[in-house]
Amino acid sequence: MLDKNAKIYVAGHRGLVGSAIWNNLLKRGYTNLVGRTHRELDLTDQLAVRRFFDEERPDAVVLAAAFVGGIMANSLYRADFIMQNMMMQCNVIGEAYKHGVQRLLFLGSTCIYPKNAPQPMKEDCLLTSPLEYTNEEYAIAKIAGLKMCESYNLQYGTNYIAVMPTNLYGPNDNFHLENSHVMPAMMRKIYLAKLIHDGDWTAIRCDMDKRPVQYKNGDAKLTVDGSASEQEILDALAFYGIYDNKVVLWGTGTPLREFLWSEDMADASVHVLLNVNFSDIIGIEKYSSVHYGTSASGAVDRNNSEGRGGAIPSLGEIRNCHINVGTGKELTIRELSQLVVKAVGFEGEVEFDASKPDGTPRKLIDVTKLHSLGWTHSVEIEDGVKKLFDWYQDSLKS
């Protein structure tokens, strides 16, 4: 358990999960928190990250920052997804170790698992067969991140724990029509289609001013906000399948997905950060002293190289030490769209374009390990969709 005065750096503290983790820590009495916006600290800049750690010297780190997006973004920006995420992870995890950080929480994604993994997906199915092609680069980056945490623990006796959340949604979600995940993108599309049908151009312009829409028109990439003409706005929204009382969504609507409220994810993350050690996950008590030996003072002797990399015959192979975080429940994308339609009060048509990719057919995770470590979710999807739409409407007023 960290002391209440411990300095905790939350990377990505304004994002969907990072902001929720920040608030969860505050509620638990951890007030010595450090955050930097992307403008203040570019995590892909190794020297800038090193200077930050030199100055702040955090006791613990939460790595919730990432370059993220949905199927369209993953397809368009494959190099960005692997390079930016790898650079951020290498810089933060590497500098955390160099500066003596003993507790670190790394947030990944369940897209790390093979496309055709047995369902529900246990942690042990990692790297057992090919990944889903549409998000392969992001998945590889996140696999590298969790392996970095695992390897630092094995070599240096740190407590760097990786958690793999299922699909997340909640306050501060990204509603960008190109780069957001399935639920917020779907919700905004359905909401805008309703506003077009209602002729509520005041609300449409408010939405577009808050979150301008970018789209391609021939070779040109245009940005449209609330100051554009009605026809320009309609053209931009039509690019994303948004029409008068009609929405076209990608795929068949048949893939099954699991969703977790971001504040539940934050609570699980903080629970793990504060209460879970690497030895708890691998089931070996006093792992550091077994692995490295101890000095005369009883401290872990990091200069003892015997068995580094986990190659201690008596312990066997140690891998898949990450933790799945989710609900263990699922629904189809079509069923999700029906929940969103109900929350928005949409009376129009939702159409699925089967010519577009579905992504992985099913992504349900096994949360047995998480439950054994003392945590379960509290917000069910039916209530969560309503909560998200309420938050989205409130965000347009600020």
Side-chain angles (χ1 to χ4, degrees):
M1 176 69 75
L2 285 170
D3 183 91
K4 289 293 175 68
N5 295 317
K7 180 181 284 190
I8 304 174
Y9 168 46
V10 182
H13 73 294
R14 288 190 175 177
L16 172 64
V17 185
S19 62
I21 289 174
W22 183 283
N23 291 331
N24 190 285
L25 285 165
L26 288 176
K27 289 178 182 177
R28 293 175 184 246
Y30 291 87
T31 58
N32 192 7
L33 306 181
V34 180
R36 294 288 188 276
T37 65
H38 176 70
R39 186 180 299 245
E40 294 168 332
L41 175 61
D42 179 359
L43 294 179
T44 66
D45 184 335
Q46 185 179 23
L47 292 179
V49 174
R50 182 171 300 165
R51 284 195 299 269
F52 167 79
F53 275 87
D54 285 343
E55 294 167 3
E56 293 294 342
R57 297 281 174 175
D59 299 300
V61 171
V62 176
L63 181 45
F67 184 76
V68 300
I71 291 178
M72 182 184 290
N74 273 270
S75 299
L76 293 173
Y77 310 118
R78 299 181 74 89
D80 290 340
F81 271 88
I82 192 165
M83 284 298 293
Q84 291 199 33
N85 284 298
M86 287 288 290
M87 286 191 291
M88 284 190 276
Q89 294 162 191
C90 288
N91 291 340
V92 173
I93 296 173
E95 292 303 324
Y97 173 70
K98 290 175 185 176
H99 289 80
V101 172
Q102 279 295 302
R103 301 194 75 88
L104 180 145
L105 186 78
F106 172 74
L107 275 73
S109 165
T110 53
C111 73
I112 63 169
Y113 293 119
K115 178 175 182 176
N116 297 313
Q119 304 288 319
M121 299 179 291
K122 294 179 179 290
E123 287 86 354
D124 288 346
C125 72
L126 179 67
L127 297 176
T128 56
S129 61
L131 299 164
E132 160 60 39
Y133 179 75
T134 57
N135 58 22
E136 190 173 41
E137 280 69 25
Y138 183 71
I140 289 172
K142 288 300 179 181
I143 292 170
L146 73 87
K147 285 295 182 181
M148 286 175 67
C149 292
E150 187 177 279
S151 299
Y152 268 85
N153 294 338
L154 291 170
Q155 184 168 341
Y156 297 119
T158 51
N159 272 313
Y160 292 179
I161 310 300
V163 291
M164 300 296 124
T166 189
N167 300 287
L168 299 173
Y169 68 106
N172 296 311
D173 218 330
N174 173 18
F175 285 80
H176 191 289
L177 292 177
E178 181 179 74
N179 296 327
S180 64
H181 287 133
V182 59
M183 190 188 301
M186 178 190 295
M187 184 171 286
R188 188 180 181 196
K189 288 177 181 181
I190 290 172
Y191 174 63
L192 286 168
K194 179 180 185 298
L195 294 180
I196 295 172
H197 183 69
D198 293 344
D200 192 345
W201 280 95
T202 299
I204 293 172
R205 293 183 186 281
C206 176
D207 182 282
M208 300 287 283
D209 278 333
K210 185 75 174 182
R211 299 174 177 87
V213 172
Q214 293 183 329
Y215 78 107
K216 287 187 177 180
N217 186 359
D219 293 332
K221 189 167 187 178
L222 306 177
T223 299
V224 178
D225 60 19
S227 66
S229 69
E230 290 186 8
Q231 190 57 54
E232 287 172 326
I233 291 175
L234 290 174
D235 289 345
L237 297 183
F239 180 83
Y240 291 102
I242 305 166
Y243 306 96
D244 180 350
N245 225 30
K246 177 183 175 181
V247 171
V248 179
L249 303 177
W250 278 29
T252 63
T254 58
L256 288 157
R257 291 291 182 269
E258 175 185 10
F259 294 92
L260 180 67
W261 183 245
S262 61
E263 292 174 333
D264 271 355
M265 175 59 197
D267 194 63
S269 298
V270 176
H271 174 81
V272 170
L273 177 68
L274 300 180
N275 301 300
V276 177
N277 296 315
F278 187 59
S279 58
D280 299 324
I281 297 172
I282 63 177
I284 301 174
E285 293 185 8
K286 299 181 180 178
Y287 171 73
S288 295
S289 62
V290 170
H291 192 61
Y292 306 102
T294 55
S295 65
S297 65
V300 174
D301 180 6
R302 291 186 177 180
N303 295 316
N304 181 351
S305 62
E306 180 183 354
R308 282 189 171 183
I312 300 178
S314 62
L315 300 184
E317 294 184 349
I318 296 175
R319 55 162 58 98
N320 301 330
C321 303
H322 56 285
I323 305 168
N324 288 340
V325 182
T327 65
K329 302 178 181 180
E330 62 187 345
L331 76 168
T332 67
I333 296 298
R334 187 178 296 274
E335 289 170 334
L336 174 64
S337 72
Q338 293 166 353
L339 291 178
V340 174
V341 162
K342 183 179 178 181
V344 174
F346 183 61
E347 296 180 352
E349 177 185 0
V350 175
E351 178 182 310
F352 286 86
D353 182 356
S355 68
K356 296 294 193 296
D358 269 331
T360 306
R362 190 183 182 201
K363 282 179 63 177
L364 179 67
I365 56 173
D366 185 298
V367 289
T368 302
K369 182 186 289 187
L370 177 66
H371 289 175
S372 72
L373 295 169
W375 189 91
T376 56
H377 76 283
S378 61
V379 178
E380 301 296 347
I381 185 68
E382 295 80 6
D383 295 327
V385 170
K386 296 175 187 175
K387 286 160 67 78
L388 181 62
F389 185 59
D390 288 342
W391 180 89
Y392 181 68
Q393 287 186 300
D394 288 341
S395 76
L396 297 172
K397 300 172 186 176
S398 59

